[in-house]
Amino acid sequence: MRKKITLIGAGQIGGTLAHLIALKDLADVVLFDVASGIAKGKALDIAQSSPVNKFNIKLSGTDNYEDTKNSDVIIITAGVPRKPGMTRDDLLGINLKIIKQVAEGIKNTSPNAFVICITNPLDVIVMALQKYSGFPKNKVVGMAGILDSSRFIYFLSQELNIPVQKIDSFVLGGHGDSMVAMLGSTKVDGKKITDLVKDGKIKKERLNEIVERTKKGGAEIVKHLEKGSAFYAPAASGVEMAESYLKDLKKQLPCAAFLNGEYDTKDLYAGVPVIIGSNGVEKIVELNLSSEEKENFKKSINSVQELFNAAKKIDPSL
Ligand code: A3D
């Protein structure tokens, strides 16, 4: 039987997700949005490209949770995107309310779904979603690390003139300005980036600039677009997670996952490498971090915890 993916939020990322899923023939798609016209219009528009692109999935748009029932995967982008000058954290109050509504909507209709959250501020919203919905922690995961790592790899490839396929790296921690590029796990054409620095192939200062640009990668796009935030690369990253789950690919992907002691962190969602297969988050992969990486990771965790404490002040039921 064909699989079913529901996209909650049919905005910039939701629409792009639907298009990518269609092009991959991955699953039937239900686009859900409180603005039902947007969901219906985008579903119909993409469906009308099926004769050209030769895909065979069904697409529909709705504002009724009944139509999303028994979804295999749910990807959530419902919320308000950042505006210029707004931090991810400013979004907290607005998006917490939205995510509570979404949790209520999906918990009875698709209790077995694998749920991927993209709404910002990511780590706190995914944690709130898990709590509001009561879904198992291995079935609720946040998308951020794939995007942040992808941005870092792209910038490195431009700088070093090396194809992106030859670069491996992880950006972990919280999805905010404190995210941590794991230089110890970054390899360019099989060589450690730290060795390339030693060999003078890239200056330490230049590498630091690239790390900083990655941290502010979302804001750079917000500034260019003036209206809305990044959506092509975030959607591509979300689809990679959904595909690994649906096809049991057991890919190792950096995602916001619930930590229960791993990376010296307890009771908090944060970006770490995980294995995603048909059981959801099947494993949290613990990398060997340098003492500097450990320290930066801890700082990043602290800022996620602070923001979660702020969320608890807004909604003490969390
Ligand atoms: P946008 O194009 O505004 O789409 C959001 C959609 O959500 C709109 O169509 C709204 O109508 C809809 N919506 C609002 N409230 C509800 C609700 N209660 N139920 C259902 N739908 C609702 O935004 P976007 O697609 O550009 O971004 C979506 C979210 O992703 C924002 O929170 C962004 O900040 C976030 N985002 C996260 C990343 C990460 O890497 C984590 C990257 C880029 C954007």
Side-chain angles (χ1 to χ4, degrees), residues 8-15 32-35 38 42 65 76-82 88 91 95 97-99 101-102 117-122 142-145 147-148 151 175 228-231 234:
I8 310 279
Q12 297 279 59
I13 302 179
F32 176 103
D33 204 295
V34 283
I38 294 178
K42 288 192 180 181
Y65 276 104
I76 300 169
T77 60
V80 177
R82 272 197 294 169
R88 290 184 180 91
L91 292 175
N95 285 350
K97 275 198 195 122
I98 293 177
I99 224 64
Q101 278 175 14
V102 173
C117 182
I118 303 187
T119 303
N120 270 322
L122 193 269
M143 187 299 293
L147 172 65
D148 298 328
R151 284 178 174 152
H175 179 61
S229 55
F231 53 101

Side-chain angles (χ1 to χ4, degrees), residues 152 155 177 207-217:
F152 185 51
F155 294 149
D177 296 342
L207 183 58
N208 289 344
E209 281 168 17
I210 293 173
V211 169
E212 282 308 305
R213 188 177 178 197
T214 304
K215 288 184 188 174
K216 300 189 165 64

Side-chain angles (χ1 to χ4, degrees), residues 67-97:
D67 298 328
T68 72
K69 72 170 183 271
N70 298 328
S71 296
D72 298 285
V73 173
I74 297 178
I75 310 181
I76 300 169
T77 60
V80 177
R82 272 197 294 169
K83 305 203 168 60
M86 202 190 209
T87 68
R88 290 184 180 91
D89 304 354
D90 293 336
L91 292 175
L92 181 61
I94 308 169
N95 285 350
L96 265 182
K97 275 198 195 122

Side-chain angles (χ1 to χ4, degrees), residues 114-119 122-123 125-127 129 137 139-146 238 241 253-258 269-272 274 276 281:
F114 180 58
V115 186
I116 301 168
C117 182
I118 303 187
T119 303
L122 193 269
D123 308 275
I125 292 290
V126 69
M127 178 122 164
L129 175 74
K137 296 183 175 93
K139 299 294 274 302
V140 179
V141 69
M143 187 299 293
I146 301 177
M241 293 164 72
L253 302 168
C255 302
F258 183 79
Y269 269 81
V272 292
V274 300
I276 294 186
V281 174

